[in-house]
Amino acid sequence: MKARKKIILALESLLEQKELDCITVSEIITEAKVARKTFYRNFRDKYDLMNWYYDIFYQESFGSIVLGNAFEKALTQCLNIYDSKRTLLKNAYASKDINGLKNHDIEITRKIYETCLTRKGADTSSETMRFAIEIAVQGGSDMVMQWILGNWDISAERLAYYIHQTLPEELKKYMDTEENT
């Protein structure tokens, strides 16, 4: 098995048991049965590892809006993945570190919105659009985190619907179109 796969499986196993801030690189490499230098050849630290892991399924699901997939469909796909990984994501989002998943989630979501909107002809440099993007990014990410924590007892489909319906109008007019690419 390749080193990255072993390291990811070790991280998943450890995150099922405790929060990311409480996990050490030593625990990860012991669980993965890889050398410390192998870990550091692939990742800067445990936060870099977690963010890389997250990017894999996030880009393939919600990130697909950049490729023209419908917003609500892509978000539902992402939330279904989140639901299947709820415990480990809860333990990852609990991180208080500046390099933790919460900040990474917000950063990558912002980039996805900007890329998608630009591709669909929106002027993402205007102050109004920048503000609308921040509302969608910050609000949507926070609602998803609250859902992961169990504070919203609704389905992934319903949460995606609510987030889509409450997007700022400045964004919604662009996000409601699906491209066939």
Side-chain angles (χ1 to χ4, degrees):
M1 185 182 303
K2 297 204 180 226
R4 280 188 177 221
K5 181 71 172 172
K6 288 179 179 181
I7 294 168
I8 286 297
L9 292 173
L11 178 67
E12 286 179 325
S13 174
L14 291 165
L15 281 170
E16 288 291 335
Q17 303 164 40
K18 58 185 173 178
E19 293 180 1
L20 182 60
D21 288 348
C22 298
I23 296 170
T24 65
V25 170
S26 293
E27 288 175 300
I28 296 169
I29 63 174
T30 299
E31 179 84 17
K33 295 178 178 60
V34 298
R36 183 172 292 278
K37 67 180 181 178
T38 300
F39 179 90
Y40 285 111
R41 194 177 313 125
N42 288 282
F43 306 102
R44 287 186 310 274
D45 55 29
K46 65 185 176 183
Y47 302 103
D48 184 42
L49 165 61
M50 181 65 226
N51 295 339
W52 179 80
Y53 170 70
Y54 175 82
D55 286 353
I56 294 169
F57 59 83
Y58 191 75
Q59 289 288 357
E60 292 174 357
S61 56
F62 185 67
S64 70
I65 66 170
V66 170
L67 302 174
N69 290 335
F71 179 89
E72 197 170 322
K73 178 181 174 185
L75 184 55
T76 299
Q77 181 183 0
C78 182
L79 293 173
N80 281 325
I81 294 168
Y82 280 22
D83 199 27
S84 71
K85 298 176 180 295
R86 187 175 292 259
T87 300
L88 72 92
L89 285 173
K90 186 187 297 187
N91 285 332
Y93 276 116
S95 175
K96 305 289 187 245
D97 193 277
I98 188 87
N99 298 312
L101 184 56
K102 181 177 182 179
N103 288 337
H104 182 72
D105 178 357
I106 288 169
E107 180 184 313
I108 194 171
T109 302
R110 184 182 299 113
K111 286 179 185 173
I112 287 171
Y113 272 105
E114 290 169 349
T115 302
C116 179
L117 290 163
T118 299
R119 184 171 184 193
K120 291 184 176 191
D123 176 12
T124 59
S125 66
S126 76
E127 188 175 5
T128 302
M129 186 59 84
R130 304 280 334 136
F131 192 80
I133 291 168
E134 282 307 306
I135 288 173
V137 169
Q138 299 281 343
S141 291
D142 190 57
M143 296 307 293
V144 169
M145 283 183 253
Q146 292 301 317
W147 178 72
I148 288 170
L149 294 171
N151 297 334
W152 290 93
D153 187 21
I154 58 176
S155 68
E157 292 77 13
R158 199 73 186 149
L159 180 58
Y161 170 79
Y162 287 143
I163 291 172
H164 179 238
Q165 290 304 307
T166 58
L167 283 173
E169 286 302 317
E170 194 70 22
L171 300 184
K172 200 167 187 298
K173 63 186 176 188
Y174 293 99
M175 295 300 181
D176 282 347
T177 61
E178 183 174 3
E179 301 170 25
N180 294 321
T181 55

